[in-house]
Amino acid sequence: MDKKLKIYIGLLVFILLGIIYIESVKPKEINWYPSYAAKHKIPYGTYVLHKEMPSLFPKKKVKDIHQNPYTFLKDSTNNGTYFFVDNALNFGEDEFSELLKFVKRGNNVFIATNGVHIDTLQTETSILTTSAFEEKAYQKMSNSIFGETEYHFDRDFSKFYFSKVDTLNTTILGELVVRNENDSIISKKPNYIKVKHGKGNFYLHTFPQAFTNYNMLLNNNYEYVANVLSYISTPQKKGVNASTINGGESTVLWDAYYKTGKSSITSPMHYVLSTPPLKWAYYIALIGVLFFIIFKGKRNQRLIPVITPLKNQTLAFTRTIANMYYEKSDHKNIAEHKINYFLEYIRVKYRLSTLKIDESFYKNVASRSGNSEEKIKDLFQKIKQIQSKSNITEDDLIALNKAIEDFKAYKNS
């Protein structure tokens, strides 16, 4: 491992440790996501409400329902008070039909959501708007037995109210009160109603935020929630036992299906990112891969091999052949090769034909090579003598070689 790579690895480890330290010491951001899930302790979860349900309904059993209402209510033996709290609820036609049957046979349904539009119950909701410069919204129970206490929730929220109700079957149980900067009431609208249907009732509330962790723990707002739920925790007729009213009031059916923040794993990556340790392990792995790409993943220069050029073996080959002939004492053959190379030398160097050796040839060679005609005649006479013999001696070969070399070396002398 080279020094440069060690520096990169050390730098990566230092950065990762720094990230882990910063994440461990920095305060966690508040998650204001409107979950409404019973398992969530975030401000807009319903952990507190779900935990307090046994005390709010002391004579009832609380049961979590993880199925959709249509499937669950197909079993007509399921009875009780079906409890819905969520940011938005959109029941299908068949689904709400089962809820109507459920209530009609003597059960209750409590729905707290932002805006309820149910044609079957002849109810509609709208959002309240005012022209006040500064306004504050309060929740208040309509019945005088709860006093005139108004409950304020300090975070902004949409001011839904019931703009249309069935007056024959509807009872107003709570109101939305809006005051201006002078604390004068500028609007008062119903936001909690009871709608009678068959032998049971629908309880509809347009402010689900009141039932979340944050608002239940804010000041004395838990009293408001207790007052709202008191309508379905006690019988509405004198002499009737709350545990046996309508034959199914002994059970509160907590809806765990229609929750904005309900548990759902749509993919393995969703599970990884929703689990903090796995999420950080995933992020660190990505950072590591990024560093690898930057520092090590770039193209490395390949070594350029040293290619030794091919040697010119002509001279070695010539020497080998010559030695072979010499060792065999084949002087005649060597002389023939020597003569052929010499004639080729004249043809190439002096541009003369060697087909006809005569006086004219001697003169031309002499004039172009600078050698005398006599010397040239003697050389070619030796060549002719050697060519005429079938065998020659070593001395003849040496004499021929010396004559040819003298001819070639004349101009360089």
Side-chain angles (χ1 to χ4, degrees):
M1 185 181 295
D2 58 13
K3 185 178 179 181
K4 191 174 182 181
L5 181 58
K6 290 180 179 178
I7 294 174
Y8 289 150
I9 293 175
L11 181 62
L12 174 61
V13 172
F14 176 76
I15 292 174
L16 292 179
L17 291 177
I19 293 173
I20 293 172
Y21 174 75
I22 292 172
E23 288 297 325
S24 63
V25 299
K26 78 174 185 179
K28 292 184 178 180
E29 296 182 0
I30 297 176
N31 183 1
W32 291 100
Y33 178 70
S35 163
Y36 294 92
K39 71 171 187 176
H40 289 166
K41 298 181 181 180
I42 59 178
Y44 281 170
T46 54
Y47 175 82
V48 174
L49 175 63
H50 188 267
K51 187 177 180 181
E52 294 299 322
M53 287 296 275
S55 62
L56 293 170
F57 298 93
K59 296 182 179 181
K60 303 179 188 298
K61 176 184 177 182
V62 180
K63 180 181 178 181
D64 292 348
I65 308 301
H66 295 277
Q67 295 176 294
N68 63 72
Y70 179 80
T71 303
F72 178 72
L73 296 178
K74 276 297 183 181
D75 184 356
S76 59
T77 62
N78 291 323
N79 294 302
T81 298
Y82 216 142
F83 196 88
F84 294 90
V85 177
D86 194 38
N87 190 48
L89 288 168
N90 295 298
F91 298 111
E93 184 177 343
D94 294 335
E95 196 170 41
F96 194 72
S97 177
E98 291 298 326
L99 285 174
L100 290 172
K101 295 176 185 177
F102 176 72
V103 174
K104 190 173 183 179
R105 63 176 181 258
N107 299 289
N108 291 329
V109 170
F110 178 88
I111 300 175
T113 186
N114 286 318
V116 180
H117 182 93
I118 303 174
D119 292 335
T120 309
L121 301 179
Q122 300 182 32
T123 61
E124 292 183 9
T125 58
S126 300
I127 298 179
L128 179 64
T129 57
T130 67
S131 59
F133 180 69
E134 290 184 6
E135 63 178 26
K136 283 187 177 182
Y138 298 84
Q139 310 293 322
K140 180 179 178 294
M141 302 303 293
S142 298
N143 198 316
S144 59
I145 65 173
F146 296 106
E148 296 298 320
T149 305
E150 296 177 354
Y151 298 90
H152 176 62
F153 298 86
D154 61 352
R155 294 187 66 83
D156 292 334
F157 58 89
S158 299
K159 302 172 182 65
F160 283 95
Y161 69 96
F162 290 100
S163 56
K164 176 184 177 182
V165 296
D166 179 5
T167 56
L168 294 177
N169 297 306
T170 302
T171 302
I172 295 176
L173 304 179
E175 297 172 322
L176 169 65
V177 179
V178 180
R179 295 178 178 272
N180 61 15
E181 60 272 16
N182 298 320
D183 207 33
S184 300
I185 297 176
I186 56 176
S187 183
K188 184 185 291 187
K189 300 291 184 180
N191 72 338
Y192 181 34
I193 61 174
K194 179 181 74 173
V195 182
K196 185 172 179 58
H197 182 74
K199 297 180 181 180
N201 301 290
F202 280 93
Y203 294 88
L204 307 178
H205 200 291
T206 63
F207 185 51
Q209 293 91 336
F211 304 92
T212 59
N213 300 327
Y214 175 79
N215 287 320
M216 283 193 66
L217 298 176
L218 180 67
N219 302 325
N220 62 339
N221 289 346
Y222 65 90
E223 294 179 358
Y224 174 74
V225 175
N227 293 340
V228 168
L229 300 183
S230 66
Y231 278 101
I232 54 178
S233 64
T234 58
Q236 302 302 306
K237 295 180 181 180
K238 293 181 179 181
V240 179
N241 191 322
S243 63
T244 60
I245 187 171
N246 296 328
E249 282 292 301
S250 60
T251 305
V252 175
L253 306 171
W254 175 278
D255 169 60
Y257 180 83
Y258 276 119
K259 289 289 183 288
T260 304
K262 70 177 180 179
S263 299
S264 61
I265 300 176
T266 56
S267 67
M269 187 55 65
H270 180 275
Y271 176 75
V272 169
L273 296 179
S274 62
T275 307
L278 293 178
K279 179 180 72 174
W280 278 108
Y282 175 70
Y283 287 158
I284 290 172
L286 288 182
I287 293 173
V289 171
L290 178 62
F291 271 89
F292 176 81
I293 293 173
I294 294 174
F295 297 116
K296 197 64 180 176
K298 60 184 179 180
R299 179 180 178 271
N300 291 325
Q301 180 65 47
R302 291 181 299 175
L303 295 175
I304 300 175
V306 178
I307 301 175
T308 304
L310 296 176
K311 293 181 179 180
N312 188 347
Q313 301 292 338
T314 304
L315 184 59
F317 175 76
T318 304
R319 285 174 179 171
T320 301
I321 299 299
N323 289 333
M324 182 181 68
Y325 285 130
Y326 184 77
E327 289 175 1
K328 293 175 66 175
S329 298
D330 192 357
H331 305 309
K332 170 69 173 178
N333 209 340
I334 296 173
E336 290 288 349
H337 284 299
K338 191 74 176 176
I339 293 168
N340 289 335
Y341 285 133
F342 176 65
L343 296 176
E344 177 68 16
Y345 173 79
I346 291 176
R347 288 194 293 270
V348 172
K349 186 171 180 64
Y350 302 119
R351 306 294 182 183
L352 295 173
S353 174
T354 59
L355 294 175
K356 185 177 181 181
I357 309 298
D358 55 11
E359 291 296 329
S360 176
F361 174 76
Y362 296 147
K363 289 181 180 179
N364 289 332
V365 173
S367 64
R368 296 189 184 188
S369 67
N371 289 280
S372 64
E373 288 188 33
E374 291 76 12
K375 186 176 181 179
I376 295 171
K377 286 180 180 180
D378 291 341
L379 173 58
F380 277 92
Q381 188 65 34
K382 288 180 180 179
I383 291 173
K384 187 175 181 181
Q385 291 175 357
I386 290 174
Q387 287 177 333
S388 63
K389 295 179 180 180
S390 58
N391 290 302
I392 63 172
T393 65
E394 182 178 345
D395 293 336
D396 294 334
L397 179 61
I398 292 173
L400 174 64
N401 182 69
K402 185 177 183 305
I404 292 174
E405 294 299 322
D406 289 344
F407 172 84
K408 290 182 180 180
Y410 180 80
K411 271 198 168 184
N412 297 325
S413 60

